[in-house]
Amino acid sequence: MTRQMTGAEMVIEALVDHGVDTIFGYPGGAVLPIYDELFQQEKVRHVLVRHEQGAGHMAEGYARSTGKCGVALVTSGPGATNMVTALTDALMDSIPMVCITGQVPTHLIGTDGFQECDTVGITRPCTKHNWLVKDIADLPRILHEAFRIATTGRPGPVVVDIPKNIQFQTGTYYGPNSGTKDPHYKTSAYHPQVKGDEAAIRDAVALMAAAKKPVFYTGGGVINSGPEATRLLRELVQLTNFPITSTLMGLGAYPASGPNWLGMLGMHGTYEANLAMHDCDVMVCIGARFDDRITGRTDAFSPTSAKIHVDIDPSSINKNIRVDIPIVGDVANVLAEMIAAWKALKPQQDKDALSSWWKQIAVWQARKCLRYKASDSVIMPQYAIERLYQASKGRDTYITTEVGQHQMWAAQYFGFEEPNRWLTSGGLGTMGYGFPAALGVQAAHPDAFVCCIAGDASIQMNIQEMATAIQHELPVKVFILNNQYMGMVRQWQQLLHGNRLSHSYTEAMPDFVKLAEAYGGHGIVCQNPAELDDKIAEMIDVKKPVLFDCRVANLANCFPMIPSGKAHNEMLLAEDVSDEDIGNAIDAKGKVLV
């Protein structure tokens, strides 16, 4: 429909037209007209955050757990600049987000007005696209285009910067399904390719059929493509009987309990996944981008394999690793075509070669690369994650993380059976992501068990959002692996910098129990392994936000580990060591390195 509205009314109407039920934001002078319209309606829920970065991460969490577009609303100047980290995070991890920012009136742009900044210029490198609205007549088209660009192709964040006077002005609103043509509408040049090249798909399937040592390498693009892509991936794995591994962002697309699962690959991936990638003869990369945490040394990455790469983003093809068969298209569409081509081909696979490949994988799996030294006196961080995982089974569970050792331990020891249940900052590695992201998840799934696995350093990056959790009754649980260090920094300093622990010991730590109570939440502390299960149960049962201070072994290191600049077959494994020697490492041949 079309009718006369102010710019502020158009923003609310566009949110409703695009199915938005929840937004995250913080008011300020340049967005007060929009906030005034929010006050006068009941269709869109607004979650008041305590810092704009938190709003961005909450929108990310909402988007990743629902498959919908997340929306954030902030003011001009510092409101917009505080969003830059969240926008960059969403861009690198392909998260659909629309960020609406206020701007000074058009006649003040360029005058260094109060709370003015060049939002478009600042956010251009960290968004898919952005707009400065200069004419009320353009606002409806821009709002609708923002949602289209954010959610199609490779998803990502966009920014719509709206001057305050535009919010007050009146114009004609054209809804996306009004049937009335907007005279200001211009056909966008953005038309992502969603259907893969048929010849390339046939070539890929023929190469897969002839493989003797194949592996599927999957990433977050499978999850971004939607539930059908996940279903099709599982069908293709069953048809081919190929082993499958995943990036950090792709966990859950194939179930951790599945018979073909090798575990996560990459810098802290499993021994079997990394060696399978190194030794395979056909690699099928689906919805991943060959980033440095996966490839290690690029000149030694899977040196003898033929590589197939399926990705909706053409700029990702041959960007980091040269591939033999590139296929640009949406993962779900390409997987459907691959399955149809495989069934039509009815391939005669080399069963003896595949059997030998699986036997080799079994030998690698027998190393039990995720083993660790158990203890009756101190909580090992790996054990803490395992117990949390067991306690969460059978529940509607969503896990977010901050960034560091705890993040990698969560990826290694928490088994994910379904997509969209694991939310972490992969590309940017943002400390402070996990807690607000969990609040975004909880806002979307009020009855779910939402837990942020955090480190004692990371959780303090956005701890102020405890107030958001209390105000909006979002009973998120924060499971803090407290080792009193910036754990991953300390680990690298130990292994690569002569154990010179420069500023990685976190002194002056807060009492997390008192801190939780100060905000109106619930605090728990545990340092005895025998008490851990009961206290995790208490955390789950409490119907309010919880800070769980889990005191773990201070010097535990996260293994396996591929040191920066090394190849997959140069990874370090943990040694079954005594409590005093926690942190020692051995190479793949058993030589003690530290």
Side-chain angles (χ1 to χ4, degrees):
M1 61 179 295
T2 63
R3 63 187 179 91
Q4 294 297 296
M5 296 183 186
T6 66
E9 289 178 294
M10 289 179 184
V11 171
I12 305 302
E13 194 71 16
L15 295 179
V16 173
D17 282 345
H18 288 276
V20 176
D21 54 26
T22 304
I23 67 172
F24 307 88
Y26 199 91
V31 283
L32 288 184
I34 298 174
Y35 270 89
D36 190 46
E37 291 301 327
L38 277 170
F39 185 84
Q40 300 178 64
Q41 56 82 51
E42 296 181 350
K43 293 180 180 179
V44 179
R45 175 191 184 191
H46 178 272
V47 175
L48 176 65
V49 304
R50 297 307 189 268
H51 190 280
E52 290 88 356
Q53 182 185 348
H57 295 322
M58 287 180 210
E60 286 189 272
Y62 179 95
R64 292 176 68 173
S65 66
T66 62
K68 298 165 66 176
C69 187
V71 179
L73 172 62
V74 298
T75 194
S76 62
T81 58
N82 282 344
M83 280 293 299
V84 167
T85 297
L87 291 169
T88 309
D89 191 273
L91 183 70
M92 293 191 73
D93 286 346
S94 305
I95 310 304
M97 180 167 69
V98 171
C99 177
I100 298 169
T101 60
Q103 183 56 274
V104 299
T106 52
H107 71 277
L108 289 179
I109 292 176
T111 69
D112 294 333
F114 178 67
Q115 291 193 334
E116 180 193 0
C117 73
D118 179 6
T119 299
V120 166
I122 289 169
T123 63
R124 185 173 288 118
C126 59
T127 56
K128 278 186 74 176
H129 196 63
N130 58 18
W131 298 262
L132 171 61
V133 183
K134 298 179 180 179
D135 188 329
I136 185 66
D138 293 328
L139 183 57
R141 169 185 60 81
I142 289 173
L143 289 168
H144 302 322
E145 188 76 347
F147 279 93
R148 186 178 81 87
I149 289 178
T151 57
T152 57
R154 179 179 175 178
V158 300
V159 165
V160 181
D161 196 32
I162 311 176
K164 190 170 184 178
N165 61 313
I166 300 294
Q167 298 171 41
F168 280 121
Q169 290 175 9
T170 300
T172 303
Y173 178 79
Y174 293 83
N177 303 307
S178 65
T180 304
K181 186 176 181 180
D182 181 350
H184 300 276
Y185 183 79
K186 298 176 183 177
T187 303
S188 171
Y190 175 72
H191 296 289
Q193 180 178 333
V194 296
K195 185 174 174 58
D197 181 77
E198 293 181 5
I201 291 172
R202 287 194 300 269
D203 289 345
V205 168
L207 182 60
M208 291 162 59
K212 300 180 185 298
K213 298 189 294 182
V215 68
F216 282 118
Y217 153 36
T218 59
V222 178
I223 295 172
N224 287 341
S225 184
E228 182 65 4
T230 297
R231 185 192 70 77
L232 291 167
L233 173 68
R234 298 178 183 201
E235 181 180 349
L236 185 58
V237 171
Q238 186 175 20
L239 276 174
T240 60
N241 196 33
F242 288 2
I244 179 171
T245 180
S246 165
T247 67
L248 181 72
M249 301 303 294
L251 295 176
Y254 185 82
S257 62
N260 295 57
W261 180 239
L262 301 182
M264 182 179 71
L265 82 158
M267 180 170 282
H268 291 286
T270 65
Y271 185 69
E272 52 267 32
N274 282 328
L275 290 191
M277 286 284 284
H278 187 269
D279 287 0
C280 69
D281 68 343
V282 173
M283 177 193 302
V284 187
C285 175
I286 304 174
R289 56 189 178 86
F290 293 98
D291 72 283
D292 63 291
R293 293 289 159 134
I294 295 302
T295 63
R297 237 178 72 205
T298 55
D299 64 343
F301 174 70
S302 194
T304 61
S305 68
K307 299 173 181 67
I308 300 163
H309 188 187
V310 179
D311 203 295
I312 199 166
D313 180 7
S315 72
S316 291
I317 303 291
N318 292 323
K319 181 178 181 180
N320 299 321
I321 297 292
R322 298 291 301 179
V323 299
D324 299 276
I325 302 178
I327 303 173
V328 176
D330 178 70
V331 166
N333 289 339
V334 174
L335 285 175
E337 292 295 324
M338 278 186 163
I339 289 170
W342 184 274
K343 291 178 177 178
L345 183 63
K346 297 178 181 178
Q348 298 297 313
Q349 294 175 275
D350 189 335
K351 293 185 177 180
D352 289 339
L354 288 175
S355 178
S356 296
W357 181 228
W358 275 111
K359 287 178 181 177
Q360 175 60 71
I361 289 171
V363 171
W364 292 330
Q365 289 172 325
R367 294 295 299 272
K368 298 188 182 302
C369 68
L370 296 180
R371 70 189 186 279
Y372 60 92
K373 179 74 173 180
S375 173
D376 293 329
S377 60
V378 64
I379 299 174
M380 298 303 295
Q382 302 93 327
Y383 177 75
I385 299 295
E386 288 179 332
R387 300 318 302 162
L388 178 64
Y389 170 56
Q390 291 300 322
S392 71
K393 280 187 173 179
R395 301 178 184 275
D396 184 18
T397 300
Y398 294 82
I399 298 294
T400 74
T401 78
E402 300 291 346
V403 170
Q405 287 178 317
H406 63 273
Q407 176 190 30
M408 296 298 107
W409 282 317
Q412 292 171 336
Y413 294 94
F414 204 105
F416 295 95
E417 300 296 310
E418 298 297 333
N420 303 106
R421 300 306 180 105
W422 162 252
L423 299 88
T424 194
S425 176
L428 193 60
T430 306
M431 294 173 69
Y433 164 88
F435 182 33
L439 296 177
V441 175
Q442 193 80 79
H445 308 276
D447 298 323
F449 170 52
V450 182
C451 183
C452 169
I453 298 174
D456 51 290
S458 281
I459 188 56
Q460 295 186 77
M461 289 283 188
N462 274 315
I463 192 65
Q464 75 284 340
E465 300 308 332
M466 273 294 288
T468 302
I470 294 296
Q471 177 183 343
H472 295 280
E473 299 181 338
L474 302 171
V476 164
K477 321 302 183 186
V478 183
F479 192 68
I480 304 169
L481 298 186
N482 186 349
N483 58 15
Q484 297 182 306
Y485 282 95
M486 300 174 200
M488 192 63 82
V489 174
R490 196 256 330 135
Q491 177 171 335
W492 280 57
Q493 288 173 336
Q494 178 189 346
L495 297 178
L496 303 175
H497 297 279
N499 203 33
R500 293 180 292 278
L501 306 186
S502 178
H503 300 283
S504 55
Y505 178 64
T506 50
E507 299 182 73
M509 292 295 294
D511 181 326
F512 286 110
V513 172
K514 290 181 179 179
L515 186 58
E517 293 171 349
Y519 278 106
H522 185 75
I524 301 173
V525 64
C526 184
Q527 53 189 4
N528 185 345
E531 299 175 351
L532 185 58
D533 284 354
D534 287 343
K535 293 198 172 184
I536 289 176
E538 176 189 345
M539 176 186 75
I540 293 173
D541 290 341
V542 170
K543 304 304 180 186
K544 61 168 63 177
V546 175
L547 293 183
F548 188 121
D549 184 0
C550 186
R551 305 287 179 86
V552 299
N554 297 78
L555 300 178
N557 279 339
C558 184
F559 292 111
M561 175 184 175
I562 302 175
S564 183
K566 298 293 184 180
H568 282 178
N569 62 343
E570 298 176 286
M571 64 191 309
L572 309 182
L573 302 178
E575 186 184 15
D576 192 11
V577 295
S578 67
D579 290 336
E580 292 76 22
D581 292 326
I582 291 170
N584 282 3
I586 59 174
D587 65 12
K589 297 179 182 179
K591 178 183 176 184
V592 177
L593 300 174
V594 179

